[in-house]
Amino acid sequence: ALALALHPLPVNAVLIDQRAEELSLATPGLDTRLTPLPEAEIRHARPGSFIVIVTHDHALDFLLAAEALARNDLAYIGMIGSGTKRAQFNRFAQQRGIDPAPLISPIGAGFSPDKRPAVIAAFTAAELMTRLNATTSLSRHSCNI
């Protein structure tokens, strides 16, 4: 839903997953990347990229968030979740000496309590565009989902 919401916007949204069957469900025309190591995609993302973590697995979310937070050159790092998940991640990060403060989680949460994927995607897209507008001119930027 988020990749679809970002598709018409001035960003290069890349939907990254370990599961070919999930990527096959993406709307035609969306940029997708199949990889067994999504953390390597974060490691090699261009400086200034936006990283949005919305996987099917909390442990993978935490791994990816830690990888993103290890960098100091990303414009945005966000993770889907609840307040409880955020608190769990904070403990996870602090035990590993990682500052969790730069992580935006839950994403798109400041707008509505609605949990439908399309609604969260719309509010997250607005959040990303607000951050992008505040940091640079609106040209095409990389957004890894």
Side-chain angles (χ1 to χ4, degrees), residues 33-107:
R33 189 169 304 141
L34 177 64
T35 179
L37 299 170
E39 63 273 22
E41 297 292 330
I42 292 173
R43 200 172 303 126
H44 297 108
R46 290 188 311 218
S49 291
F50 286 47
I51 304 294
V52 184
I53 302 161
V54 290
T55 80
H56 61 289
D57 180 276
H58 279 18
L60 180 57
D61 288 349
F62 287 11
L63 170 73
L64 298 175
E67 187 71 40
L69 290 168
R71 297 184 55 165
N72 62 2
D73 62 350
L74 297 171
Y76 176 96
I77 304 166
M79 181 174 67
I80 199 163
S82 63
T84 300
K85 182 177 176 182
R86 174 61 194 240
Q88 291 171 338
F89 178 78
N90 287 350
R91 286 190 297 278
F92 169 86
Q94 290 167 347
Q95 290 170 352
R96 286 155 183 78
I98 299 168
D99 178 11
L103 178 69
I104 306 299
S105 183
I107 55 172

Side-chain angles (χ1 to χ4, degrees), residues 1-9 11 13-15 27 30 50-54 76 78-80 107-108 116-129 143-145:
L2 181 56
L4 190 57
L6 292 172
H7 189 64
L9 301 177
V11 297
V14 180
L15 185 58
T27 300
L30 292 177
F50 286 47
I51 304 294
V52 184
I53 302 161
V54 290
Y76 176 96
M79 181 174 67
I80 199 163
I107 55 172
R116 289 177 288 175
V119 173
I120 293 170
F123 287 131
T124 301
E127 184 175 281
L128 294 171
M129 294 309 298
C143 184
N144 296 316
I145 305 167

Side-chain angles (χ1 to χ4, degrees), residues 15-40:
L15 185 58
I16 300 167
D17 205 305
Q18 300 169 307
R19 302 163 300 161
E21 64 278 6
E22 289 298 318
L23 290 177
S24 72
L25 300 174
T27 300
L30 292 177
D31 192 359
T32 62
R33 189 169 304 141
L34 177 64
T35 179
L37 299 170
E39 63 273 22

